[in-house]
Amino acid sequence: MKENNRFRRILLNTLLLVSLLWCLKSAELLFHWSLTWMGIHPNTPSGLVGIFTAPLVHGSLEHLFNNTLPLIIMGTMLAVGYPKVWWRVLCLIWLLSGLGVWFFAREANHIGASGIAHGLFFFILVASMFRRDKSSVAIMMIVFLLYGGMTMTIFPREEYISFEYHFFGALAGVIAAFLWRSVDPLPPVKQYHWELVNEDDPVIGNEWQQGLEAEQQTPQSNNETEKS
């Protein structure tokens, strides 16, 4: 019951954060605002503000919808599987991906939360390779099954899609996985009753131990014969 309550709380918080993106897009459409100034304009002083604001702005409803489900699912998975570091991971991805775009991206207005989504994906993927516990691997398999295509969208594909944001988001996720892979403790390994109780089999007793001892003594006897 406690775990269910925790999951519902995390999911609700993730939904609230993503709903902020929809509120901004709705206000932009209703009041005919233009929020393009919140994007990242590489190598310009005015574009620095976009490092903090660009993930909040989307070019269209389709653009926002394409990012909504990945953010909800992977954001929830991140907080469930890595409760101690999820906020560090999110902050690092947010800032580092924006800085990478500002320094190295082509001349354009870069907006959208797809860099954040790619960072979450690559963090979950790489962290599971480091940790290799059941929980992190299970989360990685779910995320990879749904969004494994993100491994290819970090490369140039379409002219008006900021692959740079994808790439630097992914790079930030990998760095975060390397830095904080061990902060969250590994879940305890379940031990079964037969592993804890040292009992002889009711049918064969301890004959299996005697057979093992005989196998260990046989090679030793052969070595003594060869030496003589």
Side-chain angles (χ1 to χ4, degrees):
M1 183 64 70
K2 185 177 179 181
E3 287 296 320
N4 290 337
N5 291 335
R6 177 173 172 267
F7 177 79
R8 283 195 290 266
R9 185 176 68 254
I10 291 172
L11 179 59
L12 178 61
N13 292 336
T14 307
L15 289 171
L16 289 174
L17 290 174
V18 174
S19 66
L20 174 64
L21 307 182
W22 281 95
C23 289
L24 286 173
K25 190 62 185 177
S26 300
E28 187 180 16
L29 294 175
L30 288 173
F31 301 108
H32 304 287
W33 293 345
S34 176
L35 301 180
T36 55
W37 61 270
M38 297 173 65
I40 299 177
H41 303 273
N43 301 303
T44 63
S46 60
L48 285 171
V49 69
I51 295 172
F52 305 96
T53 58
L56 303 175
V57 186
H58 290 79
S60 64
L61 289 174
E62 181 184 3
H63 185 201
L64 177 55
F65 181 78
N66 289 338
N67 284 330
T68 295
L69 285 179
L71 290 174
I72 292 173
I73 293 173
M74 289 191 287
T76 302
M77 292 291 185
L78 175 69
V80 169
Y82 305 90
K84 290 188 176 182
V85 300
W86 70 267
W87 62 272
R88 302 186 208 177
V89 172
L90 182 59
C91 290
L92 182 68
I93 292 171
W94 194 302
L95 296 177
L96 197 57
S97 60
L99 283 170
V101 170
W102 191 85
F103 275 110
F104 302 109
R106 61 199 151 145
E107 186 60 35
N109 186 29
H110 299 263
I111 57 176
S114 54
I116 307 296
H118 280 72
L120 297 179
F121 173 82
F122 275 85
F123 172 84
I124 292 172
L125 178 67
V126 176
S128 69
M129 295 178 183
F130 281 125
R131 292 168 61 88
R132 291 182 291 181
D133 62 284
K134 292 181 180 179
S135 176
S136 61
V137 171
I139 290 173
M140 180 272 293
M141 292 179 68
I142 294 171
V143 169
F144 192 85
L145 179 65
L146 294 173
Y147 302 111
M150 287 186 177
T151 55
M152 298 303 298
T153 52
I154 61 175
F155 303 108
R157 300 182 69 186
E158 298 182 36
E159 183 180 358
Y160 297 105
I161 293 180
S162 178
F163 77 92
E164 296 98 331
Y165 228 146
H166 299 175
F167 175 81
F168 287 109
L171 180 62
V174 172
I175 293 173
F178 180 78
L179 291 176
W180 299 312
R181 63 190 183 275
S182 303
V183 174
D184 285 284
L186 295 174
V189 179
K190 181 179 179 181
Q191 289 188 308
Y192 296 92
H193 174 74
W194 55 268
E195 294 179 300
L196 301 174
V197 179
N198 186 17
E199 295 180 350
D200 293 331
D201 187 275
V203 177
I204 65 173
N206 63 349
E207 292 183 7
W208 65 274
Q209 292 179 326
Q210 298 174 0
L212 182 61
E213 292 174 357
E215 290 179 1
Q216 293 174 345
Q217 293 174 358
T218 300
Q220 186 176 5
S221 301
N222 291 340
N223 291 337
E224 291 176 357
T225 303
E226 291 173 1
K227 290 177 182 179
S228 62

